[in-house]
């Protein structure tokens, strides 16, 4: 995968590689300036190409890029100069950490653990963002970062939608491992919102 990273960096214009970045995204990642100048055709094509490469990389070996990449993917139809800069920051971070490796280890082969969270109304259309990751001990073989498809009225509801967005993978992973011969006894979802936890456990009666 290091060769793939080197190829991606080589495809990137020098103007996007200037400077250092401690993280793949800044605090203003989800902010969109409607008055910002749109990219020309050649830059737009390159933006789409590099974003697709980052998505492939993030899904397979670098889940730390997924938050930034998931936003960049939402902008492929209306990219502007701000998005171009955000793309550059993500690639500069990748360049500085290109030798980082994803280490996987299963400490308990009978338990699958998921951590699912949501950021409320962070997108310009006031939709929330779902984040989820799975582990069986060390490292995360599956991570999800995606824009929610519906608007919600509160953080609790955004958390519920987030669990719903990730539930297909929560169930699929368990079934997949059982078919491989593993005896999965615990399939645990961790959350940090007590109201959402009660609704998920008890249904509407706890609302």
């Amino acid at each position: 995968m290091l060769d793939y990273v080197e190829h991606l960096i080589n495809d990137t214009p020098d103007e996007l590689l200037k400077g250092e970045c401690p993280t793949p995204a800044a605090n203003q990642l989800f902010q969109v300036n409607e008055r910002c100048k749109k990219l020309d055709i050649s830059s737009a094509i390159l933006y789409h190409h590099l974003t697709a490469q980052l998505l492939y990389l993030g899904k397979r070996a670098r889940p730390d890029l997924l938050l930034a990449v998931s936003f960049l993917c939402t902008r492929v139809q209306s990219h502007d100069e701000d998005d171009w800069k955000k793309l550059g920051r993500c690639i500069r971070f990748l360049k500085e950490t290109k030798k980082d490796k994803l280490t996987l280890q299963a400490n308990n082969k009978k338990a699958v653990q998921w951590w699912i969270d949501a950021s409320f109304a962070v997108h310009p259309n006031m939709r929330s963002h779902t984040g989820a990751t799975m582990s069986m001990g060390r490292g995360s073989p599956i991570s999800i970062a995606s824009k929610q498809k519906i608007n919600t009225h509160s953080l609790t509801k955004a958390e519920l939608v987030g669990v719903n967005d990730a539930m297909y993978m929560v169930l699929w992973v368990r079934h997949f491992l059982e078919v491989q011969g593993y005896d999965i006894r615990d399939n645990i979802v961790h959350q940090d919102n007590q109201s959402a936890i009660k609704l998920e456990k008890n249904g509407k009666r706890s609302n």
Side-chain angles (χ1 to χ4, degrees), residues 75-192:
R75 302 290 298 165
V76 293
Q77 299 297 327
S78 56
H79 25 52
D80 55 35
E81 291 183 349
D82 282 348
D83 300 318
W84 185 250
K85 294 176 183 178
K86 293 172 184 176
L87 173 65
R89 180 188 178 99
C90 187
I91 296 176
R92 290 197 300 275
F93 172 80
L94 174 63
K95 181 182 179 182
E96 295 174 20
T97 60
K98 61 184 179 182
K99 293 186 178 179
D100 285 3
K101 298 178 181 179
L102 176 61
T103 303
L104 301 176
Q105 178 178 315
N107 296 333
N108 185 353
K109 296 181 180 180
K110 296 185 177 182
V112 178
Q113 299 192 72
W114 286 85
W115 289 263
I116 303 175
D117 204 356
S119 296
F120 177 63
V122 292
H123 287 278
N125 60 0
M126 302 307 292
R127 290 186 181 176
S128 303
H129 203 88
T130 296
T133 190
M134 166 261 182
S135 181
M136 296 182 72
R138 183 181 182 186
S140 174
I142 299 176
S143 295
I144 299 170
S146 62
K147 180 181 179 180
Q148 294 186 357
K149 293 179 173 57
I150 62 174
N151 292 85
T152 54
H153 298 292
S154 67
L155 174 58
T156 296
K157 291 182 178 179
E159 296 268 2
L160 290 173
V161 172
V163 171
N164 180 74
D165 288 345
M167 188 53 62
Y168 78 99
M169 284 301 298
V170 174
L171 297 176
W172 180 86
V173 167
R174 176 169 191 160
H175 294 324
F176 176 80
L177 291 174
E178 288 176 341
V179 170
Q180 307 311 309
Y182 294 97
D183 179 22
I184 304 299
R185 298 183 180 180
D186 295 311
N187 198 22
I188 304 169
V189 172
H190 298 276
Q191 275 195 291
D192 59 2

Side-chain angles (χ1 to χ4, degrees), residues 24-25 29-30 47 51-52 54-56 58-59 62-76 83 87 90 119 122-123 128-132 143-148:
L29 173 66
F30 294 106
Y47 176 94
T51 300
L54 286 171
L55 180 61
Y56 179 87
K59 284 290 188 181
R62 292 296 300 269
D64 52 331
L65 303 177
L66 282 178
L67 177 62
V69 174
S70 65
F71 174 79
L72 295 173
C73 288
T74 68
R75 302 290 298 165
V76 293
D83 300 318
L87 173 65
C90 187
S119 296
V122 292
H123 287 278
S128 303
H129 203 88
T130 296
S143 295
I144 299 170
S146 62
K147 180 181 179 180
Q148 294 186 357

